[in-house]
Protein backbone atom coordinates (compact mmCIF):
# COMPACT_ATOMS: atom_id res chain seq x y z
CA UNK A 1 0.00 0.00 0.00
CA UNK A 2 2.97 2.30 0.39
CA UNK A 3 3.15 3.12 -3.28
CA UNK A 4 -0.35 4.62 -3.05
CA UNK A 5 0.65 7.02 -0.29
CA UNK A 6 0.66 10.15 -2.43
CA UNK A 7 1.07 12.72 0.32
CA UNK A 8 4.35 11.19 1.38
CA UNK A 9 5.68 10.86 -2.14
CA UNK A 10 4.91 14.40 -3.28
CA UNK A 11 7.92 16.35 -4.31
CA UNK A 12 7.13 19.77 -5.63
CA UNK A 13 9.07 23.02 -5.66
CA UNK A 14 10.87 22.54 -2.38
CA UNK A 15 11.60 25.71 -0.42
CA UNK A 16 14.89 25.60 1.47
CA UNK A 17 14.54 27.77 4.60
CA UNK A 18 17.33 30.24 5.22
CA UNK A 19 18.20 33.85 5.95
CA UNK A 20 20.65 34.65 3.17
CA UNK A 21 20.42 37.95 1.26
CA UNK A 22 18.64 36.06 -1.53
CA UNK A 23 16.02 34.69 0.88
CA UNK A 24 15.41 38.17 2.25
CA UNK A 25 14.67 39.76 -1.13
CA UNK A 26 11.18 41.22 -1.62
CA UNK A 27 8.91 38.52 -3.17
CA UNK A 28 8.20 40.76 -6.14
CA UNK A 29 11.93 41.26 -6.69
CA UNK A 30 12.47 37.48 -6.56
CA UNK A 31 9.86 36.91 -9.26
CA UNK A 32 11.11 39.75 -11.45
CA UNK A 33 14.76 38.66 -11.21
CA UNK A 34 13.66 35.09 -12.02
CA UNK A 35 11.79 36.28 -15.14
CA UNK A 36 14.67 38.55 -16.24
CA UNK A 37 17.28 35.87 -15.52
CA UNK A 38 15.44 33.19 -17.48
CA UNK A 39 14.96 35.63 -20.37
CA UNK A 40 18.71 36.30 -20.30
CA UNK A 41 19.55 32.59 -20.44
CA UNK A 42 17.12 32.01 -23.31
CA UNK A 43 18.15 35.04 -25.35
CA UNK A 44 21.90 34.67 -24.76
CA UNK A 45 23.91 33.98 -27.90
CA UNK A 46 27.19 32.20 -27.89
CA UNK A 47 29.05 30.01 -25.48
CA UNK A 48 31.00 32.82 -23.80
CA UNK A 49 27.94 34.56 -22.30
CA UNK A 50 26.49 31.22 -21.20
CA UNK A 51 29.79 30.29 -19.55
CA UNK A 52 29.89 33.57 -17.64
CA UNK A 53 26.24 33.08 -16.63
CA UNK A 54 27.16 29.64 -15.31
CA UNK A 55 29.83 31.15 -13.04
CA UNK A 56 27.37 33.82 -11.86
CA UNK A 57 24.65 31.26 -11.04
CA UNK A 58 27.15 29.11 -9.11
CA UNK A 59 28.27 32.19 -7.17
CA UNK A 60 24.65 33.11 -6.34
CA UNK A 61 23.95 29.54 -5.20
CA UNK A 62 26.91 29.83 -2.81
CA UNK A 63 25.56 33.15 -1.51
CA UNK A 64 22.11 31.64 -0.95
CA UNK A 65 23.70 28.98 1.34
CA UNK A 66 21.27 26.30 0.12
CA UNK A 67 22.92 22.86 0.41
CA UNK A 68 24.73 22.06 -2.83
CA UNK A 69 23.01 18.68 -2.92
CA UNK A 70 19.75 20.42 -3.95
CA UNK A 71 20.89 21.71 -7.37
CA UNK A 72 23.20 18.73 -7.87
CA UNK A 73 20.33 16.28 -7.42
CA UNK A 74 18.29 18.03 -10.12
CA UNK A 75 21.30 18.14 -12.44
CA UNK A 76 22.11 14.48 -11.90
CA UNK A 77 18.54 13.53 -12.78
CA UNK A 78 18.54 15.74 -15.88
CA UNK A 79 21.90 14.61 -17.23
CA UNK A 80 20.86 11.43 -19.11
CA UNK A 81 17.87 13.22 -20.69
CA UNK A 82 20.08 16.17 -21.49
CA UNK A 83 22.46 13.94 -23.42
CA UNK A 84 19.55 12.34 -25.32
CA UNK A 85 18.14 15.75 -26.27
CA UNK A 86 21.50 16.97 -27.48
CA UNK A 87 22.03 13.77 -29.47
CA UNK A 88 18.62 14.23 -31.13
CA UNK A 89 19.52 17.85 -31.85
CA UNK A 90 22.79 16.82 -33.53
CA UNK A 91 21.09 14.11 -35.58
CA UNK A 92 17.96 15.93 -36.71
CA UNK A 93 18.65 19.66 -36.89
CA UNK A 94 20.27 21.01 -40.01
CA UNK A 95 22.25 24.24 -40.32
CA UNK A 96 25.16 23.38 -38.07
CA UNK A 97 27.22 21.54 -40.69
CA UNK A 98 30.32 23.73 -40.65
CA UNK A 99 33.88 23.43 -39.40
CA UNK A 100 36.15 20.42 -39.21
CA UNK A 101 34.84 16.97 -39.99
CA UNK A 102 35.36 14.50 -37.14
CA UNK A 103 34.28 11.54 -39.20
CA UNK A 104 31.14 9.51 -38.85
CA UNK A 105 29.23 6.78 -40.61
CA UNK A 106 26.71 6.53 -43.45
CA UNK A 107 24.82 9.87 -43.71
CA UNK A 108 25.84 11.11 -40.26
CA UNK A 109 29.00 13.16 -40.26
CA UNK A 110 30.00 14.87 -37.03
CA UNK A 111 31.08 18.41 -37.86
CA UNK A 112 32.68 21.06 -35.67
CA UNK A 113 29.58 23.25 -35.81
CA UNK A 114 27.51 20.50 -34.32
CA UNK A 115 29.94 20.07 -31.44
CA UNK A 116 29.83 23.83 -30.86
CA UNK A 117 26.00 23.83 -30.91
CA UNK A 118 25.94 20.87 -28.52
CA UNK A 119 28.22 22.66 -26.04
CA UNK A 120 25.98 25.73 -26.25
CA UNK A 121 22.82 23.66 -25.63
CA UNK A 122 24.41 21.80 -22.73
CA UNK A 123 25.53 25.03 -21.06
CA UNK A 124 22.17 26.72 -21.61
CA UNK A 125 20.20 23.82 -20.09
CA UNK A 126 22.56 23.48 -17.12
CA UNK A 127 22.33 27.25 -16.52
CA UNK A 128 18.53 27.18 -16.73
CA UNK A 129 18.19 24.22 -14.36
CA UNK A 130 20.59 25.70 -11.79
CA UNK A 131 18.97 29.15 -11.96
CA UNK A 132 15.40 27.82 -11.69
CA UNK A 133 16.29 25.53 -8.80
CA UNK A 134 17.96 28.46 -7.03
CA UNK A 135 14.95 30.75 -7.56
CA UNK A 136 12.53 28.09 -6.33
CA UNK A 137 14.67 27.17 -3.31
CA UNK A 138 14.71 30.71 -1.91
CA UNK A 139 10.99 31.42 -2.46
CA UNK A 140 8.35 30.25 -0.01
CA UNK A 141 5.02 29.09 -1.50
CA UNK A 142 3.15 31.82 0.36
CA UNK A 143 5.38 34.49 -1.14
CA UNK A 144 4.41 33.46 -4.67
CA UNK A 145 0.96 35.02 -4.77
CA UNK A 146 2.33 38.12 -3.04
CA UNK A 147 4.99 38.28 -5.72
CA UNK A 148 2.46 37.80 -8.53
CA UNK A 149 0.38 40.57 -7.04
CA UNK A 150 3.34 42.92 -6.72
CA UNK A 151 4.58 42.31 -10.26
CA UNK A 152 1.15 42.40 -11.91
CA UNK A 153 -0.28 45.47 -10.12
CA UNK A 154 0.73 47.88 -12.91
CA UNK A 155 -1.43 45.87 -15.34
CA UNK A 156 -4.56 46.35 -13.21
CA UNK A 157 -4.58 49.95 -14.46
CA UNK A 158 -5.61 48.70 -17.92
CA UNK A 159 -8.42 46.56 -16.50
CA UNK A 160 -6.71 43.17 -16.20
CA UNK A 161 -8.00 41.37 -13.06
CA UNK A 162 -4.60 40.95 -11.43
CA UNK A 163 -5.92 40.57 -7.87
CA UNK A 164 -8.18 37.76 -9.07
CA UNK A 165 -5.19 36.06 -10.61
CA UNK A 166 -3.04 36.16 -7.48
CA UNK A 167 -6.03 34.85 -5.51
CA UNK A 168 -6.34 31.99 -8.02
CA UNK A 169 -2.69 31.15 -7.36
CA UNK A 170 -3.26 31.21 -3.58
CA UNK A 171 -6.26 28.88 -3.92
CA UNK A 172 -4.32 26.48 -6.18
CA UNK A 173 -1.42 26.21 -3.72
CA UNK A 174 -3.83 25.82 -0.81
CA UNK A 175 -5.79 23.00 -2.44
CA UNK A 176 -2.77 21.06 -3.68
CA UNK A 177 -2.18 18.94 -0.52
CA UNK A 178 -5.94 18.41 -0.19
CA UNK A 179 -6.12 16.79 -3.61
CA UNK A 180 -3.22 14.51 -2.74
CA UNK A 181 -5.36 13.22 0.12
CA UNK A 182 -8.46 12.96 -2.07
CA UNK A 183 -6.62 11.09 -4.84
CA UNK A 184 -5.17 8.80 -2.22
CA UNK A 185 -8.65 8.02 -0.92
CA UNK A 186 -10.06 7.40 -4.41
CA UNK A 187 -7.15 5.15 -5.39
CA UNK A 188 -7.50 3.10 -2.22
CA UNK A 189 -11.25 2.68 -2.58
CA UNK A 190 -10.96 1.75 -6.27
CA UNK A 191 -8.17 -0.68 -5.37
CA UNK A 192 -10.49 -2.20 -2.78
CA UNK A 193 -12.95 -2.79 -5.64
CA UNK A 194 -10.25 -4.62 -7.55
CA UNK A 195 -8.65 -1.93 -9.71
CA UNK A 196 -4.91 -2.31 -10.29
CA UNK A 197 -3.37 1.15 -10.24
CA UNK A 198 0.22 -0.01 -10.37
CA UNK A 199 0.25 -2.62 -13.15
CA UNK A 200 3.58 -4.33 -13.48
CA UNK A 201 5.60 -3.68 -16.59
CA UNK A 202 4.71 -1.59 -19.60
CA UNK A 203 0.92 -1.69 -20.10
CA UNK A 204 -0.37 1.57 -21.59
CA UNK A 205 -3.88 0.28 -22.28
CA UNK A 206 -4.20 -1.01 -18.73
CA UNK A 207 -3.16 2.43 -17.45
CA UNK A 208 -5.77 4.17 -19.58
CA UNK A 209 -8.50 1.85 -18.35
CA UNK A 210 -7.64 2.48 -14.70
CA UNK A 211 -7.29 6.17 -15.29
CA UNK A 212 -10.89 7.24 -15.77
CA UNK A 213 -12.14 5.84 -12.41
CA UNK A 214 -9.53 8.01 -10.70
CA UNK A 215 -9.66 11.12 -12.82
CA UNK A 216 -13.41 11.63 -13.11
CA UNK A 217 -14.22 11.45 -9.36
CA UNK A 218 -11.18 13.59 -8.56
CA UNK A 219 -12.32 16.36 -10.89
CA UNK A 220 -15.94 16.19 -9.80
CA UNK A 221 -14.81 16.45 -6.15
CA UNK A 222 -12.62 19.39 -7.16
CA UNK A 223 -15.54 21.18 -8.80
CA UNK A 224 -17.66 20.58 -5.72
CA UNK A 225 -14.92 22.16 -3.59
CA UNK A 226 -14.89 25.13 -5.98
CA UNK A 227 -18.65 25.52 -5.65
CA UNK A 228 -18.46 25.52 -1.84
CA UNK A 229 -15.52 27.89 -1.87
CA UNK A 230 -17.31 30.34 -4.16
CA UNK A 231 -20.38 30.32 -1.88
CA UNK A 232 -18.20 30.84 1.20
CA UNK A 233 -16.40 33.74 -0.47
CA UNK A 234 -19.65 35.40 -1.47
CA UNK A 235 -21.15 34.84 1.97
CA UNK A 236 -18.17 36.63 3.48
CA UNK A 237 -18.66 39.58 1.17
CA UNK A 238 -15.86 38.96 -1.32
CA UNK A 239 -16.03 41.37 -4.19
CA UNK A 240 -13.70 41.23 -7.19
CA UNK A 241 -12.84 44.89 -6.99
CA UNK A 242 -11.12 46.85 -4.35
CA UNK A 243 -10.51 46.83 -0.63
CA UNK A 244 -8.35 43.77 -0.02
CA UNK A 245 -5.81 43.53 2.78
CA UNK A 246 -2.92 41.11 3.28
CA UNK A 247 -1.87 39.14 6.30
CA UNK A 248 1.87 39.63 5.73
CA UNK A 249 3.26 42.81 4.27
CA UNK A 250 6.79 42.85 2.86
CA UNK A 251 8.69 46.14 2.77
CA UNK A 252 10.53 46.98 -0.40
CA UNK A 253 14.19 47.59 0.48
CA UNK A 254 16.97 49.07 -1.65
CA UNK A 255 18.70 45.70 -1.91
CA UNK A 256 15.74 44.22 -3.74
CA UNK A 257 15.51 47.15 -6.14
CA UNK A 258 19.26 46.95 -6.79
CA UNK A 259 19.13 43.18 -7.41
CA UNK A 260 16.28 43.54 -9.91
CA UNK A 261 17.94 46.44 -11.73
CA UNK A 262 21.23 44.51 -11.74
CA UNK A 263 19.77 41.45 -13.44
CA UNK A 264 17.84 43.72 -15.83
CA UNK A 265 21.08 45.49 -16.75
CA UNK A 266 22.80 42.14 -17.33
CA UNK A 267 19.96 41.16 -19.66
CA UNK A 268 20.34 44.35 -21.71
CA UNK A 269 24.14 43.95 -21.83
CA UNK A 270 23.90 40.33 -22.93
CA UNK A 271 21.49 41.33 -25.72
CA UNK A 272 24.19 43.69 -27.03
CA UNK A 273 26.46 40.63 -27.26
CA UNK A 274 29.72 42.17 -25.99
CA UNK A 275 31.59 38.86 -25.98
CA UNK A 276 31.19 38.38 -29.75
CA UNK A 277 34.96 38.42 -30.23
CA UNK A 278 35.74 35.73 -27.67
CA UNK A 279 32.95 33.66 -29.12
CA UNK A 280 34.19 33.75 -32.68
CA UNK A 281 37.66 32.83 -31.37
CA UNK A 282 36.03 29.86 -29.68
CA UNK A 283 34.16 28.91 -32.85
CA UNK A 284 37.45 28.97 -34.70
CA UNK A 285 38.69 26.10 -32.56
CA UNK A 286 36.20 23.70 -34.18
CA UNK B 1 -13.88 37.63 -12.57
CA UNK B 2 -16.46 36.79 -9.92
CA UNK B 3 -15.86 34.57 -6.88
CA UNK B 4 -17.12 31.49 -8.73
CA UNK B 5 -14.70 31.88 -11.62
CA UNK B 6 -11.79 32.50 -9.27
CA UNK B 7 -12.66 29.42 -7.21
CA UNK B 8 -13.00 27.16 -10.26
CA UNK B 9 -9.76 28.51 -11.76
CA UNK B 10 -7.88 27.98 -8.49
CA UNK B 11 -9.17 24.50 -7.83
CA UNK B 12 -8.67 23.21 -11.39
CA UNK B 13 -5.17 24.73 -11.42
CA UNK B 14 -4.44 22.74 -8.29
CA UNK B 15 -5.54 19.57 -10.13
CA UNK B 16 -3.42 20.45 -13.18
CA UNK B 17 -0.39 21.02 -10.93
CA UNK B 18 -1.12 17.90 -8.90
CA UNK B 19 -1.28 15.62 -11.97
CA UNK B 20 2.26 16.62 -12.95
CA UNK B 21 3.94 16.34 -9.57
CA UNK B 22 6.97 14.05 -9.58
CA UNK B 23 7.66 11.27 -8.92
CA UNK B 24 4.08 10.02 -9.22
CA UNK B 25 3.10 11.72 -12.50
CA UNK B 26 -0.56 10.75 -12.28
CA UNK B 27 -1.23 12.75 -15.43
CA UNK B 28 1.09 10.70 -17.62
CA UNK B 29 0.23 7.47 -19.39
CA UNK B 30 3.20 5.49 -20.74
CA UNK B 31 2.82 5.10 -24.49
CA UNK B 32 4.31 2.99 -27.26
CA UNK B 33 6.21 5.86 -28.87
CA UNK B 34 8.46 6.31 -25.83
CA UNK B 35 7.19 9.79 -24.95
CA UNK B 36 4.30 9.63 -22.47
CA UNK B 37 0.79 10.78 -23.23
CA UNK B 38 -0.38 13.57 -20.97
CA UNK B 39 -3.95 14.31 -19.99
CA UNK B 40 -2.93 17.42 -18.10
CA UNK B 41 -4.60 19.63 -20.68
CA UNK B 42 -7.96 18.23 -19.53
CA UNK B 43 -8.37 20.47 -16.42
CA UNK B 44 -7.56 23.50 -18.59
CA UNK B 45 -10.19 22.53 -21.19
CA UNK B 46 -12.77 21.73 -18.50
CA UNK B 47 -12.20 25.14 -16.91
CA UNK B 48 -12.61 26.86 -20.27
CA UNK B 49 -15.79 24.93 -21.12
CA UNK B 50 -17.38 25.59 -17.72
CA UNK B 51 -16.30 29.15 -16.98
CA UNK B 52 -14.95 30.77 -20.13
CA UNK B 53 -11.66 31.73 -21.79
CA UNK B 54 -10.12 33.82 -18.97
CA UNK B 55 -10.44 30.94 -16.51
CA UNK B 56 -8.95 28.58 -19.15
CA UNK B 57 -6.09 31.03 -19.67
CA UNK B 58 -5.35 31.27 -15.93
CA UNK B 59 -5.36 27.47 -15.47
CA UNK B 60 -3.21 27.03 -18.58
CA UNK B 61 -0.72 29.56 -17.26
CA UNK B 62 -0.39 27.88 -13.86
CA UNK B 63 -0.20 24.44 -15.52
CA UNK B 64 2.63 25.71 -17.73
CA UNK B 65 4.41 27.28 -14.78
CA UNK B 66 4.25 24.05 -12.78
CA UNK B 67 5.63 22.04 -15.70
CA UNK B 68 8.50 24.56 -15.91
CA UNK B 69 9.23 24.12 -12.19
CA UNK B 70 9.01 20.31 -12.36
CA UNK B 71 11.22 20.20 -15.43
CA UNK B 72 13.97 22.07 -13.58
CA UNK B 73 13.65 20.50 -10.14
CA UNK B 74 12.90 16.87 -10.96
CA UNK B 75 13.34 16.14 -14.67
CA UNK B 76 12.05 12.73 -15.66
CA UNK B 77 12.36 12.57 -19.44
CA UNK B 78 13.95 14.16 -22.51
CA UNK B 79 10.97 16.53 -22.90
CA UNK B 80 11.60 17.95 -19.42
CA UNK B 81 14.98 19.22 -20.53
CA UNK B 82 13.26 21.33 -23.20
CA UNK B 83 10.54 22.42 -20.78
CA UNK B 84 13.09 24.40 -18.77
CA UNK B 85 12.43 27.08 -21.40
CA UNK B 86 9.18 28.95 -20.61
CA UNK B 87 8.67 29.58 -24.34
CA UNK B 88 8.08 25.83 -24.60
CA UNK B 89 6.46 25.08 -21.24
CA UNK B 90 4.37 28.17 -20.44
CA UNK B 91 3.61 30.14 -23.60
CA UNK B 92 1.86 27.38 -25.64
CA UNK B 93 -0.32 26.43 -22.68
CA UNK B 94 -1.90 29.88 -22.59
CA UNK B 95 -3.79 29.05 -25.80
CA UNK B 96 -5.34 25.71 -24.75
CA UNK B 97 -8.20 27.29 -22.79
CA UNK B 98 -9.19 30.09 -25.19
CA UNK B 99 -9.08 27.74 -28.23
CA UNK B 100 -11.19 25.12 -26.43
CA UNK B 101 -13.70 27.80 -25.46
CA UNK B 102 -13.93 29.16 -29.03
CA UNK B 103 -14.66 25.66 -30.31
CA UNK B 104 -17.21 24.93 -27.56
CA UNK B 105 -19.16 28.20 -27.82
CA UNK B 106 -21.22 27.47 -30.97
CA UNK B 107 -22.42 24.19 -29.44
CA UNK B 108 -23.29 25.61 -26.03
CA UNK B 109 -27.01 26.06 -26.75
CA UNK B 110 -27.67 22.86 -28.70
CA UNK B 111 -25.32 19.87 -28.82
CA UNK B 112 -23.24 20.27 -25.68
CA UNK B 113 -21.64 16.77 -25.65
CA UNK B 114 -20.43 17.26 -29.24
CA UNK B 115 -19.00 20.64 -28.26
CA UNK B 116 -17.17 19.12 -25.29
CA UNK B 117 -15.56 16.38 -27.37
CA UNK B 118 -14.50 18.84 -30.06
CA UNK B 119 -13.20 21.29 -27.44
CA UNK B 120 -11.22 18.46 -25.84
CA UNK B 121 -9.68 17.47 -29.15
CA UNK B 122 -9.04 21.08 -30.20
CA UNK B 123 -7.50 22.11 -26.87
CA UNK B 124 -5.26 19.06 -26.75
CA UNK B 125 -4.10 19.47 -30.36
CA UNK B 126 -3.38 23.17 -29.67
CA UNK B 127 -1.06 22.05 -26.90
CA UNK B 128 0.68 19.43 -29.07
CA UNK B 129 1.07 21.69 -32.09
CA UNK B 130 2.31 24.77 -30.22
CA UNK B 131 4.72 22.92 -27.91
CA UNK B 132 6.27 20.94 -30.77
CA UNK B 133 6.23 24.00 -33.04
CA UNK B 134 8.11 25.98 -30.43
CA UNK B 135 10.72 23.23 -29.98
CA UNK B 136 11.27 23.15 -33.75
CA UNK B 137 11.49 26.97 -33.87
CA UNK B 138 14.17 26.88 -31.17
CA UNK B 139 16.09 24.39 -33.30
CA UNK B 140 16.09 21.55 -30.80
CA UNK B 141 14.56 18.90 -33.05
CA UNK B 142 14.02 18.64 -36.80
CA UNK B 143 10.61 19.07 -38.43
CA UNK B 144 10.17 15.42 -39.58
CA UNK B 145 10.71 14.12 -36.03
CA UNK B 146 8.27 16.68 -34.65
CA UNK B 147 5.69 15.57 -37.19
CA UNK B 148 6.14 11.95 -36.18
CA UNK B 149 5.67 12.79 -32.51
CA UNK B 150 2.58 14.88 -33.37
CA UNK B 151 1.07 11.87 -35.13
CA UNK B 152 2.01 9.14 -32.64
CA UNK B 153 1.28 11.17 -29.50
CA UNK B 154 -0.99 14.04 -30.51
CA UNK B 155 -3.82 11.86 -31.79
CA UNK B 156 -4.17 9.45 -28.83
CA UNK B 157 -3.62 12.36 -26.44
CA UNK B 158 -6.47 14.32 -28.04
CA UNK B 159 -8.73 11.26 -27.78
CA UNK B 160 -7.86 10.71 -24.09
CA UNK B 161 -8.41 14.40 -23.25
CA UNK B 162 -11.71 14.57 -25.15
CA UNK B 163 -12.97 11.47 -23.34
CA UNK B 164 -12.05 12.89 -19.92
CA UNK B 165 -13.53 16.31 -20.64
CA UNK B 166 -16.81 14.72 -21.73
CA UNK B 167 -16.91 12.32 -18.77
CA UNK B 168 -16.18 14.98 -16.16
CA UNK B 169 -18.38 17.80 -17.49
CA UNK B 170 -21.29 15.42 -18.14
CA UNK B 171 -20.99 14.01 -14.61
CA UNK B 172 -20.78 17.50 -13.15
CA UNK B 173 -23.59 19.07 -15.17
CA UNK B 174 -25.67 15.84 -14.96
CA UNK B 175 -25.98 15.63 -18.73
CA UNK B 176 -27.27 12.32 -20.02
CA UNK B 177 -24.83 10.77 -22.47
CA UNK B 178 -25.70 7.40 -23.91
CA UNK B 179 -27.05 4.48 -21.92
CA UNK B 180 -26.78 4.88 -18.16
CA UNK B 181 -25.83 1.97 -15.94
CA UNK B 182 -28.73 1.84 -13.54
CA UNK B 183 -31.97 3.64 -12.96
CA UNK B 184 -34.31 3.65 -9.98
CA UNK B 185 -37.64 3.41 -11.69
Amino acid sequence: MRRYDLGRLMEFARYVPGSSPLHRLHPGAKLLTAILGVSLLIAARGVAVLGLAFLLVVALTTVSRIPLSTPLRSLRRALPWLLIVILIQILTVSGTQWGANYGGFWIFQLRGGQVYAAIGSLLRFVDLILFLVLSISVTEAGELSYAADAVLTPFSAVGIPTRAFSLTLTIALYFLPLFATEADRIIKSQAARGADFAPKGFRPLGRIRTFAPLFVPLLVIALRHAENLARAMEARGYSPRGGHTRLAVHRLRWGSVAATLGVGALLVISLLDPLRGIDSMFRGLF
Amino acid sequence: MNARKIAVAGVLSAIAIFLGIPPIHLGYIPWFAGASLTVMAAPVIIGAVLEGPIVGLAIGFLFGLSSLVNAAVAPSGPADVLFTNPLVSVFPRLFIGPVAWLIYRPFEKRARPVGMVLAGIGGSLTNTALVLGMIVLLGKIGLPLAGTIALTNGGPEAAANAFLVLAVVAAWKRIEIGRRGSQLE
Side-chain angles (χ1 to χ4, degrees), chain A residues 221-283:
Chain A
I221 289 171
L223 289 170
R224 202 173 298 150
H225 276 300
E227 189 81 48
N228 291 338
L229 178 66
R231 287 218 189 97
M233 281 162 71
E234 269 158 13
R236 283 160 183 77
Y238 175 82
S239 112
R241 39 195 119 269
H244 301 119
T245 54
R246 288 206 161 265
L247 194 56
V249 177
H250 296 265
R251 271 188 41 217
L252 188 60
R253 292 193 172 78
W254 283 111
S256 298
V257 179
T260 315
L261 290 178
V263 178
L266 283 181
L267 172 63
V268 173
I269 293 171
S270 79
L271 286 179
L272 297 175
D273 208 7
L275 301 176
R276 222 174 295 132
I278 299 177
D279 218 51
S280 56
M281 255 168 63
F282 194 68
R283 282 165 82 106

Side-chain angles (χ1 to χ4, degrees), chain A residues 42 74 77 92 204 207 211 227, chain B residues 4 26 28 30 73-74 85 142:
Chain A
I42 292 168
S74 296
R77 281 189 186 182
T92 67
R207 271 295 289 274
F211 202 77
E227 189 81 48
Chain B
R4 195 191 155 76
L26 274 180
Y28 294 99
V73 177
N85 185 338

